[in-house]
Structure formats: structure tokens, C-alpha cells
């Protein structure tokens, strides 16, 4: 059979039932797996045979869903984690140790920023944050001899900047390190970072992939293309024996295709344990089946909302990469010609007060600390997540007091537009 297309993979990839087996991915809600002899289980521990023995390391339900996400991204291996935060942490910590360094786009999710700049700093891992639109020279200047990875988001949450993946990949590879891209907002339906030179992709599956606000989760996918052996001195964790795992050398035993994810599974998941529940992976899989349909509707609805806002007299500015005239429109058309995401941000004339009144006037859209699910929801950072900050502090954080973030759902576009129009009338 020839390579399947995206919508087909979203339904079928990762799981092919045999004769008389369940058509749906079964939920294997079991921590343990039975073996007849101790020798059989011993071979599993030595990574000599493959098989399941304890769900903290691997579980069949989780693995089927990971294999689907791997196929969607066009990777060589993948694993699921209990949250997007865990995915970001594992993706870096798998190859970066105390005393080493990462170059990172400054336009990233706030939770990721905190993980990197505060928590991982306490572990001795240092990050240099660069403007995603910096020149090649400025990007070059951020590297150090101890740099081990580069990190960015395809479409940043909530800034909605679009990463120039090729520019960041080129810089990373010139320094012999991989580019890791958080592809949460675009999803593989709209962008496949590996095709532009990224080496590893992460996801908060909590967002569009699950799509229904059912289950928090994360994923890490490896392209299998980064040559760890060519830069063996930088990545001893992959290229020299792991004494904590019977002296296995990951690149030798599992090849470039499997080394990175195997290490993250048998070492990080073993020791840190951020495994998702099989039940949650089952929900995630249901979401994945309709991802292409939903992304199409999210993007169409968001574009309609962005166009409406752009022409509205009470709106001072609109940011949506899918909108012509947006500073990131051209780059979005290059990397995501079929659509970007469903999140739009805009300013209400009259600042903090007016934005607050706009929110209160919404009826269909709910006020929620979430983005990227089926239901339209909205957040006014200045009166919620950032409410303790003064207008000056907000500006420094890149959040203007009038900023409203609207996560456009998959309801009928007309109903969403009427809700937004009514709320603006009430300002
Ligand atoms: C939400 C989010 C995360 C964190 O994911 P959780 O599943 O909430 O832990 C990471 N990156 C991006 C881009 C996100 O939007």
C-alpha cells in the first residue's frame, strides 16, 4: 500500500487489529503483565526481548496512540507523557545535563518559559532566550561551546508568532545540536516540522489533538535523522554505555531511529514516571481520529472572526497568522499553507476596562484558562492570569492591558460572530 494521507492515518495509523481482536484500540488498564518464567522477564529488563512488564515504562494502549502520533509527524519513534509540560522537560533533559545550555525562542508558552528559566535553571541547565525574528548573526551569538539543543514553538502560545523553522534548524545543525519544536498549536495536520529540518517534535496533546478538553497529555516524536554519533562528544548519554541500564549504548543497540526515545523511556520514564493513564490515551485517540476535520473548522472560523474584528470600530488591533496583513502571514503561508490554528488575539479600544466589559458581554464563549478545544473560550490576561501586574509590567511581559485571547471553537461561525458582535456592542 502506498503512503497513506493525513486523514487516513488519523483514523488507522498505530493499530491494526488481528482476526477477532477489538476494532478500537483496547484500554489496557493494567499496571502489570504476566510471564511464565523469571528468565523471560529478565530478558525484558535487559532490553534483549521487547514486551510489556510494567506500565510506568510501557503500556500497549499508550504505545498504539504514540505510534499514531509518530506516523502523523513522519517520525521514527514516539512516546506519550502525562502532560505537555512533562514532554517539554523530557525532550530537553534526555540530552542536556547540568552545566549545559539551550538556545530557545523567547516566544513560547508561559509554562514552558517558567520550566526552562526557573526550574531547569535550578538543575544547572541554562537557557539563552532569543527573539524569534532575530538575525542569523544574533542567533549565532547565542550559542556556547556547551550548547546541546535549540527550542521553539511552530506557532507560539499566546503570542501567535510563527517560527522560521529552517533558520533555527540551520543554526542548530551548524553547531552539531538538534532543533526541538513544540508543534502544539499547528498540529501535524497543518505543519510537519521534520519536513523543514526539525529533529524532535513535542506536543501538549491537551490542546487540539485531544480537542475536547478531556485529558491532559503530552507527546515526544523523534525524526530519527539527527546523527548523535557524528557529535558523540556532545551526547555521551546516547553514545556511551548507560551504567544504570546494564551498560547499554543506545545508539549502538537501537540505531539513530530508536536511540533517543528508548533512552527517554527506559531512563527518564523509569526514574521520573510521568506516564499517562491508558484511559486518557484512549480519549486522545478519539480526538486524533477527527483532528483534520476539526482543524479545518477551527481555522475557517478563526479567519472569519479575525476578518470581522479587523474591520470593527471598537477593535484597535488583531493578530492572527492566517490573516492577510498579519506580520507573520507570509511565514505562515510558507510553513502552513492549509491553515494555522484557531487562536486569535486582539485589543479592545479603551484598554483593560473595555476588554473586561467585552468578556462579560459574551454569552456563547466561556471564560476559561484553556485554549484549543471544540468550545469557543476566551481569556483576558490583564484581569485574570496577569491581574496583579501594572500596565507597565504587562507591557514588559508582552501582554497589553487590552489584549483578549479568543480560542475559536468549531461551533457554527455565524453564532460565534454574533456572540462577538453582541459583546462588542455592550462595551
Ligand atoms: C499548554 C501548552 C503546553 C503545556 O501543556 P500541558 O499539557 O498543559 O502540560 C506546552 N506548550 C504549549 C504550546 C502549550 O499550549
Amino acid at each position: 500500500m502506498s503512503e497513506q494521507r493525513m486523514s487516513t492515518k488519523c483514523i488507522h495509523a498505530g493499530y491494526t487489529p488481528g482476526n477477532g481482536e477489538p476494532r478500537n484500540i483496547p484500554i489496557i488498564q493494567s499496571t502489570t503483565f504476566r510471564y511464565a518464567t523469571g528468565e523471560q522477564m529478565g530478558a525484558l529488563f535487559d532490553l534483549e526481548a521487547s514486551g510489556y512488564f510494567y506500565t510506568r515504562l510501557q503500556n500497549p494502549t499508550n504505545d498504539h496512540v504514540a505510534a499514531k502520533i509518530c506516523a502523523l509527524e513522519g517520525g521514527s519513534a514516539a512516546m506519550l507523557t502525562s502532560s505537555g509540560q512533562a514532554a517539554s522537560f523530557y525532550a530537553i533533559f534526555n540530552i542536556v545535563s547540568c552545566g549545559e545550555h539551550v538556545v530557545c525562542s523567547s516566544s513560547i508558552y508561559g509554562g514552558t518559559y517558567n520550566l526552562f528559566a526557573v526550574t531547569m535553571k535550578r538543575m544547572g541547565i541554562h537557557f539563552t532566550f532569543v527573539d524569534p525574528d532575530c538575525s542569523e548573526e544574533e542567533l549565532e551569538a547565542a550559542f556556547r561551546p556547551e550548547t546541546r539543543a535549540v527550542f521553539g514553538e511552530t506557532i507560539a502560545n499566546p503570542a501567535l508568532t510563527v517560527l522560521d523553522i529552517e533558520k533555527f534548524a540551520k543554526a542548530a545543525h551548524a553547531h552539531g545540536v538538534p532543533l526541538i519544536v513544540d508543534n502544539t498549536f499547528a498540529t501535524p495536520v497543518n505543519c510537519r516540522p521534520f519536513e523543514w529540518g526539525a529533529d524532535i517534535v513535542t506536543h501538549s496533546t491537551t490542546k487540539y489533538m485531544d480537542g475536547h478538553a478531556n485529558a491532559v497529555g503530552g507527546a515526544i516524536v523523534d525524526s530519527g535523522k539527527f546523527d548523535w554519533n557524528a557529535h558523540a562528544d556532545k551526547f555521551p548519554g546516547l553514545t556511551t554505555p548507560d551504567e544504570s541500564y546494564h551498560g547499554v549504548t543506545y545508539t549502538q543497540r537501537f540505531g539513530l531511529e530508536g536511540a533517543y526515545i528508548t533512552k527517554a523511556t527506559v531512563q527518564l520514564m523509569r526514574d521520573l514516571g510521568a506516564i499517562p493513564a491508558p484511559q486518557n490515551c484512549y480519549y486522545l485517540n478519539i480526538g486524533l481520529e477527527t483532528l483534520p476535520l476539526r482543524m479545518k473548522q477551527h481555522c475557517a472560523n478563526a479567519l472569519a472572526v479575525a476578518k470581522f474584528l479587523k474591520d470593527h470600530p471598537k477593535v484597535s488591533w488583531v493578530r492572527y497568522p492566517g490573516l492577510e496583513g498579519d506580520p507573520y502571514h507570509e511565514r505562515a503561508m510558507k510553513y502552513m499553507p492549509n491553515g494555522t490554528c484557531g487562536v486569535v488575539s486582539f485589543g479592545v479600544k479603551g484598554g483593560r476596562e473595555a476588554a473586561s466589559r467585552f468578556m462579560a458581554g459574551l454569552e456563547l464563549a466561556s471564560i476559561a484558562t484553556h485554549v484549543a478545544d471544540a468550545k469557543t473560550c476566551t481569556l483576558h490576561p490583564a484581569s485574570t492570569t496577569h491581574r496583579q501586574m501594572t500596565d507597565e509590567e504587562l507591557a514588559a511581559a508582552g501582554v497589553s492591558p487590552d489584549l483578549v485571547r479568543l480560542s475559536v471553537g468549531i461551533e457554527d461561525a455565524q453564532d460565534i460572530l454574533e456572540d462577538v458582535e453582541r459583546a462588542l456592542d455592550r462595551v
Side-chain angles (χ1 to χ4, degrees), residues 347-380:
V348 185
K349 280 184 191 163
R352 196 188 281 247
E353 268 305 298
S356 205
R357 278 204 302 279
F358 166 78
M359 304 275 292
L362 289 165
E363 290 173 22
L364 176 69
S366 42
I367 297 174
T369 311
H370 196 241
V371 281
D373 71 67
K375 304 165 199 72
T376 296
C377 66
T378 179
L379 184 77
H380 177 220

Side-chain angles (χ1 to χ4, degrees), residues 79 150 156 247 299 356 405:
M79 70 192 287
V150 177
C299 293
S356 205
R405 185 183 69 183

Side-chain angles (χ1 to χ4, degrees), residues 82-86 88 108-109 111-112 153 155-157 182-185 202-207 216-218 371:
S82 57
S83 68
Q85 286 299 102
S88 302
I108 53 170
Y109 173 66
T112 309
E153 285 178 19
I155 306 173
N157 172 16
D182 180 335
N183 198 31
T184 298
F185 265 27
T202 61
H203 281 279
S204 165
T205 62
T206 318
K207 313 294 165 54
V216 173
V371 281

Side-chain angles (χ1 to χ4, degrees), residues 61-381:
T61 309
N62 302 9
D63 284 0
H64 289 310
V65 182
K68 177 177 282 188
I69 292 174
C70 186
L72 301 185
E73 287 288 3
S76 66
M79 70 192 287
L80 300 184
T81 57
S82 57
S83 68
Q85 286 299 102
S88 302
F89 176 59
Y90 281 21
I92 300 273
F93 197 59
N94 200 34
I95 49 170
V96 187
S97 301
C98 180
E100 295 179 334
H101 173 258
V102 178
V103 174
C104 186
S105 162
S106 60
S107 195
I108 53 170
Y109 173 66
T112 309
Y113 178 81
N114 207 69
L115 167 68
F116 291 173
V118 181
T119 298
M120 291 184 78
K121 187 178 171 189
R122 283 171 50 207
M123 305 170 84
I125 295 174
H126 296 276
F127 289 76
T128 297
F129 294 95
V130 295
D131 186 323
D133 298 314
C134 65
S135 68
E136 287 185 19
E137 294 70 36
E138 287 168 316
L139 185 52
E140 184 63 30
F143 283 83
R144 301 180 191 169
E146 64 275 20
T147 301
R148 294 292 176 268
V150 177
F151 188 96
E153 285 178 19
T154 314
I155 306 173
N157 172 16
L160 302 179
T161 55
V162 175
L163 189 74
D164 189 344
I165 301 172
E166 283 187 320
K167 179 177 85 177
F168 276 74
K170 191 175 146 212
H173 297 159
H175 289 270
V177 302
L179 171 64
I180 305 174
V181 171
D182 180 335
N183 198 31
T184 298
F185 265 27
T187 83
V189 170
N190 284 337
C191 182
R192 302 218 302 171
F194 294 156
E195 292 172 359
W196 302 99
D199 303 286
I200 292 150
V201 159
T202 61
H203 281 279
S204 165
T205 62
T206 318
K207 313 294 165 54
Y208 291 116
M209 281 190 167
D210 170 82
H212 300 79
N214 279 328
V216 173
I220 308 173
V221 189
D222 180 15
S223 67
K225 293 195 188 118
F226 189 82
D227 191 350
W228 309 106
N229 293 321
H231 309 284
D233 56 319
K234 288 190 164 77
F235 304 103
L238 286 161
T239 58
T240 60
D242 177 0
E243 294 315 327
S244 85
Y245 223 106
H246 316 285
V248 62
T249 298
Y250 295 103
T251 47
Q252 234 170 49
R253 183 83 73 84
F254 302 100
L256 296 182
E257 298 76 26
Y260 176 89
I261 292 293
T262 304
K263 176 176 181 287
T265 302
V266 305
Q267 198 185 69
L268 298 188
M269 199 57 95
R270 175 195 66 188
D271 294 351
L272 301 168
I275 194 86
Q279 179 88 34
N280 277 5
C281 296
Y282 180 83
Y283 294 140
L284 169 57
N285 182 57
I286 295 175
L288 289 170
E289 290 193 355
T290 57
L291 184 64
L293 293 172
R294 289 184 292 105
M295 287 313 288
K296 209 185 221 173
Q297 178 94 347
H298 277 295
C299 293
N301 285 358
L303 184 59
V305 168
K307 281 182 174 162
F308 171 81
L309 291 169
K310 192 174 154 229
D311 295 330
H312 198 284
K314 290 190 181 173
V315 171
S316 45
W317 57 270
V318 183
R319 285 289 327 282
Y320 180 64
L323 185 67
E324 228 171 282
D326 185 87
Y328 290 94
H329 183 65
E330 210 173 299
R331 196 175 292 159
M333 292 315 290
K334 172 179 169 178
Y335 289 107
M336 293 163 268
N338 299 322
T340 54
C341 66
V343 182
V344 177
S345 65
F346 64 100
V348 185
K349 280 184 191 163
R352 196 188 281 247
E353 268 305 298
S356 205
R357 278 204 302 279
F358 166 78
M359 304 275 292
L362 289 165
E363 290 173 22
L364 176 69
S366 42
I367 297 174
T369 311
H370 196 241
V371 281
D373 71 67
K375 304 165 199 72
T376 296
C377 66
T378 179
L379 184 77
H380 177 220

